[in-house]
Amino acid sequence: MVHMDKTSLYTKSKAVIITVKGRVQGVGYRPFVFQIATQFAVTGTVQNNMDGVRIFAEGQEPALQFFVDAIHSKAPRLARIDEVIIEDSQSKGHDQFSIIPSERTGKSSLVIPVDSAICVDCLQEMREPNDFRYRYPFINCTQCGPRYTIIDSLPYDRPYTSMSDFHMCSDCEKEYEDPMNRRHHAQPIACDSCGPKVMIVSMGGDIMREKDDAIKKTIELLSKGKIVAVKGIGGYHLACDAFNEGTVAALRERKHRPQRPLAMMVANIEVAKEICHVSPQEEMVLQSSESPIVILKKRGGTSLANSLAPGMNTLGVMLPYTPLHHLLFEGGSISVLVMTSANPSGLPMLYKDEEAVAYLQGIADYILTNNRPILHPVDDSVVRIIDGKQSFLRRSRCYVPDPFTTSHDVHEVVALGPQQKNNFAIGRNKQIFVGPHIGEMEHLEVLAHYEKELSHLMKWMGIEGKMLATDMHPGYVTTELARSMKGQIIPVQHHHAHLVSCMEDNKLIDSVFGIILDGTGYGEDGHIWGFEILYGDPKEYRRLAHLHYTHLPGNEKAIKEPWRNATAMLIDYFGDEGCDLAKRLFIGRDYEIEIMANMLCKGVNSPLAGTCGRLFDAVSAILGVCEVSTYDGEAAIKLSELLTFEQVEKPYSYKVIFTKDIATINFAQGLKEIIQDKWLGIPLQKIIERFHETVVTICVELIFVLSNNNPSFNKQVVLSGGSFHNPYLAVEISKRIKKKGFQVYTHKRVPCNDGGLSLGQLIIASQRR
């Protein structure tokens, strides 16, 4: 958004004050402005302040006009201009243009700079033997390196970062002070003589090597099958040779992570193409400045360790994004490293040096660390390309806390997010700051991490949180946290938040249909929702259809052990016959099945649920794909991994029962047919294809019928909920609804899973002022 009256500039000489808002600090914007001013003979000053960047400029009218145009249209690659405000001013008679010290007073409207993967220029310098930063693992400039993870307070200047204790040498200082140098005011600027250093440490805490010798020693240890904890931008990873089956298996055993896929880092894009199928769009994302983990279809015939991703046809792959990562692949024989977060599952990223040695005992063999503190830990971001569109599974490193602009007034609204895959969102004027991935809000350590990150961002934003949006589940940790804060609490239904999150992600205003396929969400009737067709907007919604409720015996236990969920579905649908079916399917569990049947009969600790996630879990267990989950979503994920897009199968049977107010989907006969096909020896893949086709058919036909029954409803449909990470569901439901004349929208900037929920919560709360 640019506010300027160009006609007011065309006088012989002119002076203006320009305020530039957006991502304009820590991205080389001030030296860029200096260079443009020099080019057009404009004099004045530029400085960072709590509002963004403030420019005082004076000069001849044509030159000043070119200057104004250039600062908006030719900004550095990491900059993002949200608003330019120009005001007339009196001339001050400056005879040159200069960069002046930052102004730290006033309320902040800054966009906090995000971390960025190493740029091409720095990588070339690091590899140049004659450069004084040759093989320096912390090389950076204004276009790359750490930002958010090292900031202590705003504005983003070196004294207010974790680089404050590293005093620049004369060579670095010369570049830092030179407005024509790309490292002018690059706050993490450093070299081998004055900056942070790496060291490899034994598990006894003894420093074995430092600087380049530490890197060379690490390469040697990795080649010998050792597991090394590596400190990166946002925390510690566990690294090992991805081709060494024994080492990968040992890592799984030590970390108590038997099945969950392990992320990998490859030396370069060519290696990625050797082990996976990589489309041009996937290649572009892999090589972007954000450098996320990208989910890729793996190739057959590689010698990668089989235990990297058991039961999966895909691999999570990323390229080196720090100088240190690149150096670990240079001079050694390893081309693919496991690079998985070192923290225990469900707990925050491990990032404090004093905690690393203690926690990693018995897990890592060595630690490659450094003496630059991480102030704000972040997990790696994870994306997948579905139908040519980037879909987030996790939005974190290098994307947060970059804000979204909105047409809604969201000022002083804070959304505290869900229980699973948590993040929060903060509203400031018409900006929304979605925080980093926090994780599962089930541990005290996670809550402490959450409160720290939330308070920092609220302070930096100058926000008090007068309205607090929470999930309406009464037992969630975020609900308890809201009660300890000062704002007005606004409970938001889980799937309404999903619908509105996708609306906001696509800047939709008018009411829409929402197909919400999810795992768990507390419903207004006290039951667990998750297979929903809604119609609404941020102010209100109607529930039009849902999956028939069945019990979850033991609640969370049935989620973690899908065979229990499957047993309960069969008993609920078929009574004694269902109990017998379960005993035939799950051999040796007769006693437990009888106990569950008794629990269901008496309604003991068995909440009612109708969710897509639990339906997938049940089918996965019935087919023997996954009876017990070792990580969130395992049963559904492994089921979908066995699917191909080669042909469309006939759907299984189902019924839709319409009442006056709502339609209920009954899948009883379909479950029985799946069991019969299994016992008839029908190939597993065919059964899975038919099941997926059934879910697609149900959704498409219901939207068509519900639209016909409500002709005044807009023919727009949003797709949200974690089940839409399933490519077949996402592609086929969208394609077929479009063929019926509807507009269909999917998520773009936040995940379709609960990681996008805080965005919807915030918008809904803002409409209830």
Side-chain angles (χ1 to χ4, degrees):
M1 183 180 185
V2 181
H3 302 309
M4 62 175 73
D5 181 4
K6 292 186 177 182
T7 59
S8 68
L9 296 174
Y10 288 99
T11 58
K12 291 185 179 180
S13 183
K14 191 74 176 176
V16 292
I17 295 173
I18 307 169
T19 302
V20 185
K21 297 183 179 182
R23 192 203 299 157
V24 289
Q25 293 195 15
V27 294
Y29 194 76
R30 287 179 300 170
F32 156 74
V33 170
F34 179 92
Q35 291 163 21
I36 295 297
T38 302
Q39 178 182 347
F40 293 114
V42 169
T43 62
T45 61
V46 59
Q47 71 172 162
N48 283 344
N49 60 23
M50 301 300 281
D51 208 32
V53 167
R54 185 177 185 274
I55 303 165
F56 176 83
E58 51 187 323
Q60 296 300 309
E61 54 183 38
L64 196 57
Q65 181 61 58
F66 288 133
F67 171 77
V68 169
D69 291 340
I71 63 173
H72 181 265
S73 62
K74 298 180 180 180
R77 75 179 184 107
L78 291 183
R80 193 195 70 239
I81 311 300
D82 294 336
E83 188 174 20
V84 178
I85 301 171
I86 299 178
E87 304 169 277
D88 289 339
S89 183
Q90 295 295 317
S91 175
K92 296 182 180 179
H94 287 282
D95 58 2
Q96 61 182 4
F97 198 89
S98 58
I99 299 172
I100 61 176
S102 299
E103 171 61 56
R104 302 192 74 242
T105 60
K107 256 192 174 179
S108 174
S109 63
L110 290 177
V111 172
I112 299 164
V114 296
D115 306 290
S116 175
I118 183 173
C119 69
V120 172
D121 291 335
C122 284
L123 195 57
Q124 288 177 343
E125 289 178 356
M126 188 187 74
R127 290 170 172 167
E128 171 52 57
N130 294 324
D131 194 282
F132 75 97
R133 292 191 182 90
Y134 175 58
R135 290 185 61 82
Y136 182 57
F138 300 96
I139 189 171
N140 67 86
C141 68
T142 57
Q143 298 307 302
C144 68
R147 300 289 193 276
Y148 169 68
T149 50
I150 64 170
I151 295 173
D152 183 51
S153 62
L154 295 178
Y156 175 57
D157 283 330
R158 190 180 182 100
Y160 313 112
T161 72
S162 62
M163 288 295 297
S164 59
D165 290 337
F166 297 97
H167 302 290
M168 283 179 274
C169 66
S170 58
D171 289 333
C172 288
E173 189 172 19
K174 181 179 179 181
E175 291 182 334
Y176 184 85
E177 298 294 346
D178 181 1
M180 304 305 289
N181 192 288
R182 81 173 197 279
R183 290 193 175 91
H184 179 70
H185 283 209
Q187 307 306 337
I189 188 173
C191 70
D192 190 56
S193 65
C194 69
K197 64 180 179 181
V198 294
M199 59 210 81
I200 189 160
V201 179
S202 72
M203 297 315 296
D206 298 322
I207 297 175
M208 300 166 56
R209 302 278 197 285
E210 293 184 342
K211 298 189 174 183
D212 201 38
D213 287 340
I215 298 170
K216 291 174 180 176
K217 182 65 176 178
T218 301
I219 295 170
E220 176 190 332
L221 292 167
L222 290 168
S223 301
K224 291 180 177 179
K226 300 299 182 182
I227 298 170
V228 181
V230 178
K231 183 180 178 183
I233 283 181
Y236 281 89
H237 290 87
L238 291 169
C240 70
D241 183 357
F243 291 96
N244 190 321
E245 177 63 44
T247 304
V248 175
L251 174 59
R252 285 198 174 279
E253 183 178 356
R254 296 181 192 181
K255 202 167 185 280
H256 306 294
R257 190 173 177 174
Q259 293 287 316
R260 189 169 188 165
L262 299 170
M264 293 179 298
M265 182 175 283
V266 298
N268 49 54
I269 194 65
E270 287 72 27
V271 174
K273 292 177 179 179
E274 289 172 7
I275 63 172
C276 293
H277 299 275
V278 183
S279 70
Q281 189 174 0
E282 288 165 339
E283 180 175 350
M284 181 179 68
V285 176
L286 281 166
Q287 294 181 314
S288 68
S289 62
E290 293 84 8
S291 193
I293 296 171
V294 181
I295 306 299
L296 302 173
K297 185 177 180 181
K298 65 181 178 183
R299 293 185 182 275
T302 72
S303 55
L304 287 168
N306 291 326
S307 59
L308 282 171
M312 305 288 284
N313 292 319
T314 55
L315 296 171
V317 177
M318 58 181 156
L319 293 180
Y321 57 85
T322 72
L324 177 62
H325 291 149
H326 282 277
L327 290 169
L328 289 177
F329 288 107
E330 297 182 4
S333 59
I334 296 178
S335 59
V336 184
L337 286 170
V338 169
M339 193 66 76
T340 186
S341 57
N343 52 291
S345 295
L347 292 183
M349 196 77 175
L350 186 68
Y351 72 102
K352 294 181 179 178
D353 301 330
E354 61 272 20
E355 294 177 357
V357 173
Y359 167 69
L360 293 169
Q361 292 292 330
I363 300 177
D365 297 312
Y366 301 91
I367 301 175
L368 182 64
T369 186
N370 65 71
N371 59 340
R372 182 178 66 195
I374 297 171
L375 301 183
H376 302 283
V378 287
D379 275 299
D380 293 311
S381 298
V382 184
V383 305
R384 187 172 191 170
I385 304 300
I386 298 179
D387 198 26
K389 301 172 185 175
Q390 180 173 300
S391 173
F392 280 98
L393 281 78
R394 182 167 69 208
R395 182 179 180 271
S396 201
R397 174 183 54 78
C398 293
Y399 292 97
V400 297
D402 220 20
F404 307 139
T405 57
T406 178
S407 60
H408 303 281
D409 177 11
V410 293
H411 195 59
E412 290 289 0
V413 182
V414 175
L416 301 185
Q419 185 82 347
Q420 309 293 322
K421 298 178 177 63
N422 179 278
N423 59 23
F424 50 78
I426 299 170
R428 184 183 66 189
N429 300 318
K430 291 190 174 183
Q431 291 178 310
I432 301 171
F433 295 80
V434 178
H437 170 79
I438 300 293
E440 321 309 318
M441 300 288 286
E442 297 171 353
H443 304 278
L444 289 176
E445 297 94 332
V446 177
L447 179 59
H449 171 53
Y450 176 98
E451 291 182 296
K452 172 179 173 285
E453 295 305 311
L454 176 61
S455 63
H456 268 284
L457 272 176
M458 288 179 65
K459 179 181 177 182
W460 291 349
M461 298 297 103
I463 295 299
E464 297 177 5
K466 295 179 180 177
M467 298 188 72
L468 304 171
T470 67
D471 193 288
M472 69 181 298
H473 193 299
Y476 278 2
V477 172
T478 48
T479 305
E480 288 297 317
L481 178 62
R483 295 189 185 113
S484 69
M485 300 170 71
K486 294 181 179 179
Q488 176 189 357
I489 298 174
I490 307 294
V492 176
Q493 200 283 321
H494 190 92
H495 302 97
H496 186 204
H498 270 299
L499 177 141
V500 175
S501 174
C502 195
M503 287 184 68
E504 181 63 27
D505 213 352
N506 290 277
K507 299 186 180 299
L508 302 177
I509 302 297
D510 297 328
S511 295
V512 298
F513 285 99
I515 301 177
I516 317 298
L517 303 183
D518 198 23
T520 299
Y522 187 81
E524 292 187 355
D525 56 5
H527 302 320
I528 301 172
W529 296 5
F531 195 128
E532 312 299 317
I533 296 185
L534 310 177
Y535 184 81
D537 57 27
K539 293 182 179 178
E540 59 183 357
Y541 76 97
R542 284 177 54 189
R543 192 186 192 202
L544 303 178
H546 70 89
L547 185 66
H548 175 80
Y549 293 137
T550 56
H551 289 88
L552 286 177
N555 201 351
E556 285 296 318
K557 195 171 182 67
I559 296 173
K560 293 178 180 178
E561 299 183 26
W563 74 271
R564 294 178 182 272
N565 172 37
T567 296
M569 277 193 186
L570 294 173
I571 294 173
D572 279 341
Y573 275 134
F574 306 113
D576 291 342
E577 181 190 359
C579 192
D580 293 337
L581 288 171
K583 289 176 181 178
R584 289 184 63 189
L585 285 165
F586 308 117
I587 306 300
R589 300 188 184 273
D590 291 18
Y591 177 70
E592 293 169 281
I593 290 170
E594 288 291 345
I595 291 176
M596 279 189 281
N598 194 37
M599 289 175 65
L600 301 189
C601 181
K602 295 180 179 180
V604 177
N605 191 24
S606 301
L608 288 171
T611 89
C612 187
R614 301 295 78 80
L615 179 62
F616 266 77
D617 286 356
V619 172
S620 186
I622 287 168
L623 296 178
V625 174
C626 180
E627 293 186 10
V628 177
S629 291
T630 63
Y631 61 91
D632 181 47
E634 179 180 356
I637 291 169
K638 286 189 172 178
L639 194 73
S640 67
E641 284 284 314
L642 295 171
L643 187 72
T644 67
F645 285 77
E646 293 176 2
Q647 61 186 25
V648 175
E649 294 288 332
K650 178 184 176 182
Y652 285 110
S653 300
Y654 65 92
K655 290 181 180 179
V656 179
I657 302 164
F658 286 89
T659 63
K660 182 180 180 181
D661 298 321
I662 199 163
T664 305
I665 305 154
N666 186 301
F667 195 60
Q669 186 58 32
L671 274 185
K672 187 174 282 189
E673 290 171 5
I674 286 172
I675 294 169
Q676 291 169 347
D677 277 358
K678 176 185 177 179
W679 287 341
L680 286 171
I682 302 298
L684 186 65
Q685 189 168 332
K686 294 292 183 185
I687 300 173
I688 294 170
E689 287 173 351
R690 285 192 68 187
F691 169 63
H692 275 76
E693 178 59 23
T694 309
V695 175
V696 171
T697 302
I698 290 170
C699 293
V700 174
E701 290 191 355
L702 266 174
I703 285 291
F704 186 67
V705 170
L706 290 168
S707 179
N708 283 342
N709 291 346
N710 298 277
S712 65
F713 285 6
N714 295 317
K715 298 185 76 170
Q716 294 180 307
V717 184
V718 297
L719 309 181
S720 190
S723 295
F724 280 110
H725 286 311
N726 182 315
Y728 189 85
L729 296 185
V731 171
E732 290 300 315
I733 290 175
S734 177
K735 180 175 69 176
R736 295 186 208 179
I737 293 178
K738 285 179 181 177
K739 283 185 178 179
K740 291 184 178 291
F742 292 80
Q743 292 177 292
V744 182
Y745 302 89
T746 57
H747 284 274
K748 298 175 180 178
R749 300 171 295 172
V750 296
C752 61
N753 62 35
D754 284 5
L757 213 66
S758 63
L759 175 63
Q761 290 177 342
L762 185 139
I763 296 296
I764 291 169
S766 75
Q767 297 301 296
R768 295 186 187 171
R769 290 182 188 273

